[in-house]
Amino acid sequence: MRVLLVNPKSRLPIDTRISPPLGLAYLAAVSERRGDQVRIYDGDVEETPLGTVVQEFSPQVVGITANTTQITAAWRDAGLVKSLCSAPVVLGGPHPTSLPEESAAKPFVDVVVRSEGEATWLELLSRFEGGDRAWDIAGITYRNGEGAIVSTPDRVPIPVQELDAMPFPAWHLFRLERYTNLQPTVDRVDGPSLPILTSRGCPYRCSYCSQIGPRRWRGRSVDSVVAEWRWLVRERGAAEIGVLDDSFNINRQRVLDICRRLVEEGLNRVPWIMINGIRANIADEEVLGAMKRAGCIRVAFGVESGNQAILDSVVDKHLTLDQVRAAFRAARAVGLETIGFFIVGLPGETEATMDDTIRFACELDPLVANFSIATPFPGTAMYETVKAQGRILAETWDDFVFFEGKARFEMPGLPAELVERKWKEAYRRFYLRPGRIARTLLRRETWLRLPRTARMAWRTVVSGGG
């Protein structure tokens, strides 16, 4: 079959564009393995209009992925596809997983895939190919013949042995030269910068996190991970690799074994970084030192708040401030650069607790402090809290962008104006310290990235991110 996979144009500024969409790369890989002809359309880097691609390629099935800030664009793309061809349109990703009935009700959407997509996608392709529209497939939501919306039972998570057997992402279908590197505000990389997913899922359920999978961590085998790593370096020519796992270091021994193998095979000559935060409470010098020797240059920690009560009662982080301090000390001791993720404006916050977070960020002093405004994405505990106790200010899903400096909800005692003011203050207080300015000026990457850094600083400090 001719399969078109679409990543709708996002509202992310070009400065934060990091890598091609890994989810579509996996769907493309499993589709190709079953013999389909696949075309990828990433709205963030394409120059040709989607309508032109649809008319030229004449797809027999179209898959569209979407997070919350992309969903409006996804519906628009789905409507365009339906106006040009009769191919069934399938929607998947974080937002349709959280609110499947919303998308299934759209006349231009044939079926919504919930949670992990590969196994469900393959079943759908087989049905479409045979002209069968009997929707007894696990993990989907659709409109039946009477127009009623039906959701089938959830699909069982893909077992580890099947994750190991999955083909590597179909990077050959992407125009990789059009993507920036994985952390463009920090690094300058000459060559392909590619992601890898060594595990799926997370055993934790932080209140702000919108996960599309079950509360179950599944780590690929060491052999499988190293085989893909070797392929990325030796076959795809990766100049940088970014680990995208939600919880890379859950299994301590597995991390040590992966790192040992990377050193043994000489793969540690290619630098790699942690894109998402690793758990600070299980990051010690032995593990971080092994990562450093294996080629890791930077780790990220999801700190979120500098107030223990907020971490415990609001975020449900299962983490202490002392554990965070210890993790940053350990990373610094082995020579790893650090990124800290922080959130301001969480439900239940006050000006004092937000001040605690700013002070804690300055105390930890990571290479990069990323402050975001709390955003209640559908499918999160925060979303339910805000709906029950507060007021969502965003008028459309397009407004659920957490980097623009705009508060998307208010709670009693937590007005939007206060949150927006503290967010701007956080960046000023962290980045405009004399010592921080001096260290920044000494970094070679600062001068290589000066135009981009200046644009982001203007948005953040002066204009409030908009």
Side-chain angles (χ1 to χ4, degrees), residues 240-293:
E240 177 187 65
I241 292 173
V243 177
L244 281 178
D245 299 34
D246 289 325
S247 303
F248 176 69
N249 62 330
I250 293 296
N251 185 326
R252 187 174 184 278
Q253 187 58 50
R254 175 176 171 275
V255 175
L256 293 173
D257 291 342
I258 289 172
C259 292
R260 174 181 53 80
R261 289 280 301 279
L262 294 179
V263 173
E264 289 175 352
E265 299 201 20
L267 299 173
N268 57 334
R269 289 190 289 270
V270 173
W272 53 282
I273 55 181
M274 302 303 305
I275 302 300
N276 296 320
I278 62 175
R279 291 291 304 186
N281 57 315
I282 46 179
D284 56 33
E285 280 195 35
E286 182 182 11
V287 169
L288 294 173
M291 291 169 61
K292 171 69 174 178
R293 291 188 295 275

Short mmCIF file of all heavy atoms in Angstrom, two decimals, residues 240-293:
data_model
loop_
_atom_site.label_atom_id
_atom_site.label_comp_id
_atom_site.label_asym_id
_atom_site.label_seq_id
_atom_site.Cartn_x
_atom_site.Cartn_y
_atom_site.Cartn_z
N GLU A 240 26.03 12.95 16.55
CA GLU A 240 25.53 13.14 17.91
C GLU A 240 24.32 12.24 18.08
O GLU A 240 23.54 12.04 17.14
CB GLU A 240 25.16 14.60 18.15
CG GLU A 240 24.56 14.86 19.52
CD GLU A 240 24.03 16.29 19.65
OE1 GLU A 240 23.07 16.64 18.92
OE2 GLU A 240 24.59 17.04 20.47
N ILE A 241 24.14 11.68 19.27
CA ILE A 241 22.99 10.83 19.55
C ILE A 241 22.31 11.37 20.81
O ILE A 241 22.97 11.74 21.78
CB ILE A 241 23.41 9.36 19.76
CG1 ILE A 241 23.92 8.77 18.42
CG2 ILE A 241 22.26 8.52 20.31
CD1 ILE A 241 24.51 7.39 18.54
N GLY A 242 20.99 11.42 20.76
CA GLY A 242 20.22 11.89 21.92
C GLY A 242 19.30 10.79 22.42
O GLY A 242 18.52 10.24 21.65
N VAL A 243 19.42 10.46 23.70
CA VAL A 243 18.57 9.43 24.29
C VAL A 243 17.25 10.09 24.69
O VAL A 243 17.22 11.03 25.49
CB VAL A 243 19.26 8.79 25.51
CG1 VAL A 243 18.33 7.77 26.17
CG2 VAL A 243 20.56 8.12 25.08
N LEU A 244 16.13 9.56 24.16
CA LEU A 244 14.82 10.16 24.35
C LEU A 244 13.99 9.48 25.44
O LEU A 244 12.83 9.85 25.64
CB LEU A 244 14.03 10.13 23.04
CG LEU A 244 14.36 11.19 22.00
CD1 LEU A 244 13.51 10.98 20.76
CD2 LEU A 244 14.16 12.59 22.54
N ASP A 245 14.54 8.52 26.13
CA ASP A 245 13.78 7.78 27.13
C ASP A 245 13.18 8.71 28.18
O ASP A 245 13.79 9.70 28.58
CB ASP A 245 14.68 6.79 27.87
CG ASP A 245 15.30 5.75 26.96
OD1 ASP A 245 15.60 6.08 25.80
OD2 ASP A 245 15.50 4.62 27.41
N ASP A 246 11.97 8.36 28.65
CA ASP A 246 11.39 9.07 29.78
C ASP A 246 12.11 8.70 31.08
O ASP A 246 12.17 9.52 32.00
CB ASP A 246 9.90 8.73 29.92
CG ASP A 246 9.07 9.34 28.81
OD1 ASP A 246 9.40 10.46 28.37
OD2 ASP A 246 8.09 8.71 28.38
N SER A 247 12.63 7.47 31.15
CA SER A 247 13.25 6.98 32.39
C SER A 247 14.44 6.08 32.05
O SER A 247 14.39 4.87 32.25
CB SER A 247 12.24 6.22 33.25
OG SER A 247 11.12 7.01 33.54
N PHE A 248 15.50 6.66 31.53
CA PHE A 248 16.64 5.89 31.05
C PHE A 248 17.31 5.08 32.16
O PHE A 248 17.75 3.94 31.94
CB PHE A 248 17.67 6.84 30.41
CG PHE A 248 18.94 6.18 29.96
CD1 PHE A 248 18.94 5.31 28.88
CD2 PHE A 248 20.15 6.44 30.60
CE1 PHE A 248 20.11 4.69 28.45
CE2 PHE A 248 21.33 5.84 30.18
CZ PHE A 248 21.31 4.97 29.10
N ASN A 249 17.40 5.63 33.36
CA ASN A 249 18.23 5.00 34.40
C ASN A 249 17.43 4.24 35.45
O ASN A 249 17.89 4.07 36.58
CB ASN A 249 19.13 6.03 35.07
CG ASN A 249 18.35 7.13 35.80
OD1 ASN A 249 17.24 7.48 35.40
ND2 ASN A 249 18.94 7.67 36.86
N ILE A 250 16.23 3.76 35.09
CA ILE A 250 15.45 2.99 36.04
C ILE A 250 16.18 1.71 36.45
O ILE A 250 16.24 1.35 37.62
CB ILE A 250 14.07 2.63 35.45
CG1 ILE A 250 13.23 3.90 35.29
CG2 ILE A 250 13.33 1.62 36.32
CD1 ILE A 250 12.88 4.59 36.58
N ASN A 251 16.75 1.01 35.47
CA ASN A 251 17.52 -0.21 35.73
C ASN A 251 19.00 0.15 35.73
O ASN A 251 19.62 0.31 34.68
CB ASN A 251 17.21 -1.27 34.66
CG ASN A 251 17.88 -2.60 34.94
OD1 ASN A 251 18.98 -2.66 35.47
ND2 ASN A 251 17.21 -3.68 34.57
N ARG A 252 19.56 0.25 36.91
CA ARG A 252 20.94 0.72 37.07
C ARG A 252 21.94 -0.18 36.35
O ARG A 252 22.85 0.29 35.66
CB ARG A 252 21.25 0.80 38.56
CG ARG A 252 22.57 1.42 38.94
CD ARG A 252 22.63 1.53 40.47
NE ARG A 252 23.84 2.21 40.88
CZ ARG A 252 25.02 1.59 41.00
NH1 ARG A 252 25.10 0.30 40.72
NH2 ARG A 252 26.08 2.27 41.36
N GLN A 253 21.80 -1.49 36.52
CA GLN A 253 22.75 -2.42 35.92
C GLN A 253 22.68 -2.36 34.40
O GLN A 253 23.70 -2.49 33.71
CB GLN A 253 22.48 -3.84 36.41
CG GLN A 253 23.53 -4.86 35.95
CD GLN A 253 24.93 -4.48 36.42
OE1 GLN A 253 25.15 -4.19 37.60
NE2 GLN A 253 25.89 -4.47 35.49
N ARG A 254 21.48 -2.17 33.87
CA ARG A 254 21.34 -2.07 32.41
C ARG A 254 22.10 -0.87 31.88
O ARG A 254 22.76 -0.97 30.82
CB ARG A 254 19.85 -1.96 32.06
CG ARG A 254 19.54 -1.72 30.58
CD ARG A 254 18.03 -1.73 30.37
NE ARG A 254 17.66 -1.30 29.04
CZ ARG A 254 17.50 -0.04 28.68
NH1 ARG A 254 17.69 0.95 29.55
NH2 ARG A 254 17.15 0.26 27.44
N VAL A 255 22.06 0.25 32.57
CA VAL A 255 22.81 1.43 32.14
C VAL A 255 24.30 1.12 32.14
O VAL A 255 25.03 1.45 31.19
CB VAL A 255 22.51 2.64 33.04
CG1 VAL A 255 23.40 3.83 32.67
CG2 VAL A 255 21.05 3.03 32.94
N LEU A 256 24.78 0.49 33.20
CA LEU A 256 26.20 0.15 33.29
C LEU A 256 26.61 -0.79 32.17
O LEU A 256 27.69 -0.64 31.57
CB LEU A 256 26.51 -0.49 34.65
CG LEU A 256 26.36 0.44 35.87
CD1 LEU A 256 26.52 -0.36 37.16
CD2 LEU A 256 27.37 1.58 35.82
N ASP A 257 25.75 -1.77 31.84
CA ASP A 257 26.07 -2.72 30.78
C ASP A 257 26.09 -2.05 29.42
O ASP A 257 26.96 -2.34 28.58
CB ASP A 257 25.06 -3.87 30.79
CG ASP A 257 25.20 -4.78 32.01
OD1 ASP A 257 26.26 -4.72 32.67
OD2 ASP A 257 24.25 -5.51 32.32
N ILE A 258 25.13 -1.16 29.16
CA ILE A 258 25.12 -0.44 27.89
C ILE A 258 26.39 0.39 27.75
O ILE A 258 27.05 0.38 26.70
CB ILE A 258 23.87 0.47 27.79
CG1 ILE A 258 22.61 -0.38 27.61
CG2 ILE A 258 24.01 1.46 26.63
CD1 ILE A 258 21.32 0.43 27.68
N CYS A 259 26.74 1.09 28.80
CA CYS A 259 27.93 1.95 28.74
C CYS A 259 29.20 1.14 28.53
O CYS A 259 30.09 1.54 27.76
CB CYS A 259 28.02 2.78 30.02
SG CYS A 259 26.72 4.03 30.18
N ARG A 260 29.30 0.00 29.20
CA ARG A 260 30.49 -0.85 29.02
C ARG A 260 30.61 -1.30 27.57
O ARG A 260 31.70 -1.26 26.98
CB ARG A 260 30.39 -2.06 29.95
CG ARG A 260 31.50 -3.10 29.76
CD ARG A 260 31.33 -4.27 30.70
NE ARG A 260 30.00 -4.85 30.62
CZ ARG A 260 29.59 -5.69 29.68
NH1 ARG A 260 30.44 -6.05 28.71
NH2 ARG A 260 28.37 -6.19 29.68
N ARG A 261 29.48 -1.70 26.97
CA ARG A 261 29.52 -2.16 25.58
C ARG A 261 29.87 -1.02 24.62
O ARG A 261 30.58 -1.24 23.63
CB ARG A 261 28.17 -2.77 25.22
CG ARG A 261 27.88 -4.11 25.89
CD ARG A 261 28.58 -5.24 25.16
NE ARG A 261 28.15 -5.31 23.77
CZ ARG A 261 27.03 -5.90 23.37
NH1 ARG A 261 26.22 -6.47 24.26
NH2 ARG A 261 26.70 -5.93 22.09
N LEU A 262 29.37 0.17 24.88
CA LEU A 262 29.69 1.31 24.02
C LEU A 262 31.19 1.58 24.02
O LEU A 262 31.79 1.89 22.98
CB LEU A 262 28.93 2.56 24.46
CG LEU A 262 27.40 2.53 24.31
CD1 LEU A 262 26.80 3.83 24.80
CD2 LEU A 262 26.99 2.26 22.87
N VAL A 263 31.81 1.46 25.18
CA VAL A 263 33.26 1.65 25.28
C VAL A 263 33.99 0.53 24.55
O VAL A 263 34.93 0.77 23.78
CB VAL A 263 33.70 1.71 26.76
CG1 VAL A 263 35.23 1.73 26.86
CG2 VAL A 263 33.11 2.95 27.44
N GLU A 264 33.57 -0.72 24.77
CA GLU A 264 34.24 -1.86 24.16
C GLU A 264 34.21 -1.79 22.63
O GLU A 264 35.16 -2.20 21.97
CB GLU A 264 33.57 -3.16 24.62
CG GLU A 264 33.84 -3.51 26.08
CD GLU A 264 33.06 -4.73 26.54
OE1 GLU A 264 32.19 -5.23 25.78
OE2 GLU A 264 33.29 -5.19 27.68
N GLU A 265 33.13 -1.27 22.08
CA GLU A 265 32.99 -1.21 20.62
C GLU A 265 33.47 0.11 20.02
O GLU A 265 33.33 0.35 18.82
CB GLU A 265 31.55 -1.47 20.22
CG GLU A 265 31.04 -2.85 20.66
CD GLU A 265 29.83 -3.31 19.87
OE1 GLU A 265 29.61 -2.78 18.75
OE2 GLU A 265 29.13 -4.20 20.36
N GLY A 266 34.03 0.98 20.84
CA GLY A 266 34.54 2.25 20.34
C GLY A 266 33.46 3.23 19.94
O GLY A 266 33.74 4.23 19.26
N LEU A 267 32.23 2.97 20.36
CA LEU A 267 31.12 3.86 20.01
C LEU A 267 31.10 5.10 20.89
O LEU A 267 30.32 6.03 20.63
CB LEU A 267 29.79 3.12 20.13
CG LEU A 267 29.64 1.90 19.20
CD1 LEU A 267 28.37 1.13 19.52
CD2 LEU A 267 29.64 2.35 17.73
N ASN A 268 31.91 5.14 21.91
CA ASN A 268 31.96 6.29 22.81
C ASN A 268 32.65 7.50 22.18
O ASN A 268 32.70 8.57 22.79
CB ASN A 268 32.66 5.92 24.12
CG ASN A 268 34.07 5.38 23.91
OD1 ASN A 268 34.39 4.83 22.86
ND2 ASN A 268 34.91 5.51 24.92
N ARG A 269 33.17 7.35 20.97
CA ARG A 269 33.80 8.49 20.31
C ARG A 269 32.77 9.47 19.76
O ARG A 269 33.10 10.61 19.44
CB ARG A 269 34.72 7.99 19.18
CG ARG A 269 35.99 7.31 19.69
CD ARG A 269 36.96 7.05 18.56
NE ARG A 269 36.49 6.00 17.67
CZ ARG A 269 36.76 4.70 17.83
NH1 ARG A 269 37.50 4.31 18.86
NH2 ARG A 269 36.31 3.81 16.97
N VAL A 270 31.53 9.02 19.62
CA VAL A 270 30.45 9.91 19.18
C VAL A 270 29.72 10.41 20.42
O VAL A 270 29.23 9.62 21.23
CB VAL A 270 29.47 9.17 18.25
CG1 VAL A 270 28.26 10.05 17.94
CG2 VAL A 270 30.17 8.78 16.95
N PRO A 271 29.65 11.73 20.62
CA PRO A 271 29.01 12.26 21.83
C PRO A 271 27.52 11.97 21.87
O PRO A 271 26.86 11.91 20.83
CB PRO A 271 29.28 13.77 21.75
CG PRO A 271 29.45 14.03 20.29
CD PRO A 271 30.12 12.81 19.73
N TRP A 272 27.00 11.78 23.09
CA TRP A 272 25.56 11.61 23.25
C TRP A 272 25.09 12.37 24.46
O TRP A 272 25.87 12.71 25.36
CB TRP A 272 25.16 10.14 23.31
CG TRP A 272 25.85 9.26 24.29
CD1 TRP A 272 27.10 8.71 24.19
CD2 TRP A 272 25.31 8.76 25.52
NE1 TRP A 272 27.37 7.91 25.26
CE2 TRP A 272 26.30 7.92 26.11
CE3 TRP A 272 24.09 8.92 26.19
CZ2 TRP A 272 26.10 7.26 27.33
CZ3 TRP A 272 23.90 8.27 27.40
CH2 TRP A 272 24.89 7.45 27.95
N ILE A 273 23.79 12.68 24.45
CA ILE A 273 23.20 13.52 25.48
C ILE A 273 21.86 12.94 25.90
O ILE A 273 21.25 12.15 25.18
CB ILE A 273 23.00 14.97 24.97
CG1 ILE A 273 22.16 14.97 23.67
CG2 ILE A 273 24.32 15.67 24.77
CD1 ILE A 273 21.92 16.34 23.08
N MET A 274 21.41 13.32 27.07
CA MET A 274 20.09 12.96 27.56
C MET A 274 19.14 14.10 27.21
O MET A 274 19.33 15.23 27.66
CB MET A 274 20.09 12.73 29.06
CG MET A 274 21.06 11.65 29.54
SD MET A 274 20.79 10.03 28.78
CE MET A 274 19.07 9.75 29.15
N ILE A 275 18.13 13.81 26.40
CA ILE A 275 17.18 14.84 26.00
C ILE A 275 16.17 15.10 27.12
O ILE A 275 15.88 16.24 27.48
CB ILE A 275 16.45 14.44 24.71
CG1 ILE A 275 17.47 14.21 23.59
CG2 ILE A 275 15.44 15.52 24.31
CD1 ILE A 275 18.30 15.43 23.27
N ASN A 276 15.61 14.04 27.66
CA ASN A 276 14.67 14.15 28.78
C ASN A 276 15.41 13.90 30.08
O ASN A 276 16.52 13.35 30.10
CB ASN A 276 13.51 13.17 28.61
CG ASN A 276 12.68 13.48 27.38
OD1 ASN A 276 12.42 14.64 27.08
ND2 ASN A 276 12.27 12.45 26.65
N GLY A 277 14.78 14.28 31.18
CA GLY A 277 15.45 14.16 32.47
C GLY A 277 15.55 12.72 32.94
O GLY A 277 14.64 11.91 32.76
N ILE A 278 16.68 12.38 33.57
CA ILE A 278 16.81 11.09 34.23
C ILE A 278 16.49 11.28 35.71
O ILE A 278 16.47 12.39 36.24
CB ILE A 278 18.23 10.51 34.06
CG1 ILE A 278 19.29 11.41 34.70
CG2 ILE A 278 18.54 10.29 32.59
CD1 ILE A 278 20.68 10.82 34.67
N ARG A 279 16.19 10.17 36.38
CA ARG A 279 15.81 10.23 37.79
C ARG A 279 17.01 10.61 38.65
O ARG A 279 18.03 9.93 38.67
CB ARG A 279 15.25 8.89 38.25
CG ARG A 279 13.92 8.51 37.65
CD ARG A 279 12.80 9.39 38.14
NE ARG A 279 12.65 9.41 39.58
CZ ARG A 279 11.65 10.02 40.21
NH1 ARG A 279 10.71 10.65 39.51
NH2 ARG A 279 11.58 10.04 41.52
N ALA A 280 16.88 11.71 39.38
CA ALA A 280 17.97 12.19 40.23
C ALA A 280 18.21 11.28 41.42
O ALA A 280 19.33 11.18 41.92
CB ALA A 280 17.68 13.62 40.70
N ASN A 281 17.17 10.61 41.91
CA ASN A 281 17.32 9.80 43.11
C ASN A 281 18.06 8.49 42.86
O ASN A 281 18.42 7.79 43.80
CB ASN A 281 15.94 9.49 43.72
CG ASN A 281 15.00 8.81 42.75
OD1 ASN A 281 14.89 9.22 41.59
ND2 ASN A 281 14.32 7.78 43.21
N ILE A 282 18.30 8.14 41.59
CA ILE A 282 19.06 6.93 41.29
C ILE A 282 20.22 7.25 40.34
O ILE A 282 20.62 6.42 39.53
CB ILE A 282 18.16 5.82 40.71
CG1 ILE A 282 17.23 6.37 39.62
CG2 ILE A 282 17.35 5.14 41.79
CD1 ILE A 282 16.34 5.32 38.98
N ALA A 283 20.75 8.45 40.47
CA ALA A 283 21.89 8.87 39.66
C ALA A 283 23.07 9.11 40.59
O ALA A 283 23.15 10.15 41.25
CB ALA A 283 21.55 10.14 38.87
N ASP A 284 24.00 8.16 40.65
CA ASP A 284 25.17 8.30 41.51
C ASP A 284 26.43 8.42 40.66
O ASP A 284 26.39 8.34 39.43
CB ASP A 284 25.27 7.12 42.49
CG ASP A 284 25.29 5.77 41.78
OD1 ASP A 284 25.83 5.70 40.65
OD2 ASP A 284 24.79 4.79 42.35
N GLU A 285 27.57 8.58 41.31
CA GLU A 285 28.82 8.79 40.58
C GLU A 285 29.21 7.59 39.73
O GLU A 285 29.78 7.75 38.65
CB GLU A 285 29.95 9.14 41.55
CG GLU A 285 29.96 10.58 42.00
CD GLU A 285 31.27 10.99 42.65
OE1 GLU A 285 32.34 10.50 42.21
OE2 GLU A 285 31.23 11.79 43.60
N GLU A 286 28.92 6.38 40.19
CA GLU A 286 29.29 5.20 39.41
C GLU A 286 28.54 5.18 38.08
O GLU A 286 29.13 4.99 37.02
CB GLU A 286 29.01 3.92 40.18
CG GLU A 286 29.43 2.68 39.40
CD GLU A 286 29.13 1.37 40.12
OE1 GLU A 286 28.39 1.40 41.11
OE2 GLU A 286 29.60 0.32 39.65
N VAL A 287 27.22 5.37 38.13
CA VAL A 287 26.41 5.35 36.91
C VAL A 287 26.76 6.53 36.01
O VAL A 287 26.97 6.37 34.79
CB VAL A 287 24.92 5.36 37.26
CG1 VAL A 287 24.08 5.62 36.01
CG2 VAL A 287 24.50 4.03 37.89
N LEU A 288 26.83 7.72 36.58
CA LEU A 288 27.12 8.91 35.77
C LEU A 288 28.54 8.86 35.22
O LEU A 288 28.78 9.29 34.09
CB LEU A 288 26.91 10.17 36.61
CG LEU A 288 25.46 10.43 37.04
CD1 LEU A 288 25.38 11.61 37.99
CD2 LEU A 288 24.56 10.68 35.83
N GLY A 289 29.48 8.31 35.99
CA GLY A 289 30.84 8.16 35.50
C GLY A 289 30.92 7.19 34.34
O GLY A 289 31.65 7.41 33.36
N ALA A 290 30.14 6.10 34.41
CA ALA A 290 30.10 5.14 33.31
C ALA A 290 29.52 5.80 32.06
O ALA A 290 30.00 5.56 30.94
CB ALA A 290 29.27 3.93 33.71
N MET A 291 28.50 6.61 32.24
CA MET A 291 27.91 7.31 31.10
C MET A 291 28.93 8.27 30.48
O MET A 291 29.04 8.36 29.26
CB MET A 291 26.66 8.07 31.56
CG MET A 291 25.50 7.16 31.94
SD MET A 291 24.12 8.01 32.77
CE MET A 291 23.62 9.18 31.50
N LYS A 292 29.68 8.97 31.31
CA LYS A 292 30.69 9.90 30.82
C LYS A 292 31.75 9.16 30.00
O LYS A 292 32.12 9.58 28.90
CB LYS A 292 31.33 10.62 32.00
CG LYS A 292 32.55 11.47 31.66
CD LYS A 292 32.19 12.69 30.83
CE LYS A 292 33.41 13.59 30.65
NZ LYS A 292 33.11 14.77 29.81
N ARG A 293 32.23 8.04 30.51
CA ARG A 293 33.25 7.27 29.79
C ARG A 293 32.71 6.70 28.48
O ARG A 293 33.45 6.48 27.52
CB ARG A 293 33.78 6.14 30.68
CG ARG A 293 34.62 6.63 31.86
CD ARG A 293 35.28 5.48 32.58
NE ARG A 293 34.31 4.58 33.21
CZ ARG A 293 33.79 4.78 34.42
NH1 ARG A 293 34.12 5.86 35.13
NH2 ARG A 293 32.93 3.92 34.93
#
